[in-house]
Amino acid sequence: VKADATDNMVPSARSENMRRVRGKNTRPEMLVRSIAHRLGFRFRLHRSDLPGKPDLVFPKYRAVVFVNGCFWHGHDCRRGRRPSSNQAFWDAKLEENAARDRRAEESLRALGWRVLVLWECELRDEVELGARLDSFLRNAEGKDHE
Ligand SMILES: [Zn+2]
């Protein structure tokens, strides 16, 4: 990717770029869905009327879950490491993504939703993931709730 690529993107390329940022039906997302389903929770997907279009929405629990890819959402982990070339471009791009995520979370909380962010790199242990999801949803005072 060229450093100035976004400025010259045609609309279809730009939307393709955005799709990758908040990718739908990604493998990590499918895993979280299948675990939530197995635990018996009812949820809806990508509700576009909510800020940030959360990946999973649990209306009964007034809770949403985002499943974030480490790279595109700027996780502080090995997978989230930025490329060493075109640094200015990636810094701007990924900081913009992270800022968008923060705004969506704040808006959701202001609307009374509880927010859990799951990172791609944290999904290796399905048992642990299930326990985390369960405690987040059932416990209104959950530790993931700021
Ligand atoms: Zn990560």
Side-chain angles (χ1 to χ4, degrees):
V1 179
K2 287 234 186 86
D4 59 353
T6 46
D7 293 335
N8 302 315
M9 267 187 197
V10 295
S12 64
R14 196 187 299 276
S15 66
E16 167 64 15
N17 191 45
M18 293 313 297
R19 194 189 61 75
R20 277 149 67 211
V21 173
R22 164 69 43 216
K24 290 206 184 4
N25 308 322
T26 58
R27 198 190 54 78
E29 192 188 321
M30 300 302 278
L31 174 66
V32 174
R33 270 195 230 172
S34 89
I35 288 170
H37 182 77
R38 209 183 303 155
L39 291 169
F41 293 112
R42 320 253 337 232
F43 52 90
R44 293 177 55 193
L45 304 173
H46 310 126
R47 260 180 60 175
S48 53
D49 59 323
L50 291 178
K53 258 193 221 183
D55 295 313
L56 291 83
V57 179
F58 300 83
K60 182 180 167 187
Y61 298 92
R62 195 82 180 159
V64 304
V65 172
F66 288 99
V67 184
N68 282 353
C70 296
F71 178 75
W72 288 105
H73 295 269
H75 196 209
D76 185 14
C77 74
R78 193 177 51 79
R79 281 164 180 261
R81 228 166 23 204
R82 293 178 185 176
S84 51
S85 59
N86 293 327
Q87 234 162 358
F89 166 77
W90 286 112
D91 282 352
K93 174 96 214 115
L94 298 174
E95 271 153 33
E96 183 190 312
N97 290 348
R100 189 186 307 118
D101 290 345
R102 280 195 302 275
R103 281 197 302 272
E105 282 180 48
E106 281 165 19
S107 305
L108 283 160
R109 290 196 169 103
L111 291 166
W113 291 88
R114 296 184 297 124
V115 180
L116 175 65
V117 176
L118 295 172
W119 293 95
E120 167 187 22
C121 67
E122 301 171 337
L123 307 181
R124 290 194 199 96
D125 185 335
E126 290 189 29
V127 174
E128 188 193 305
L129 177 58
R132 205 173 152 200
L133 203 54
D134 191 69
S135 87
F136 166 69
L137 290 172
R138 292 183 196 284
N139 178 9
E141 305 299 316
K143 60 181 184 298
D144 293 302
H145 181 217
E146 289 171 19

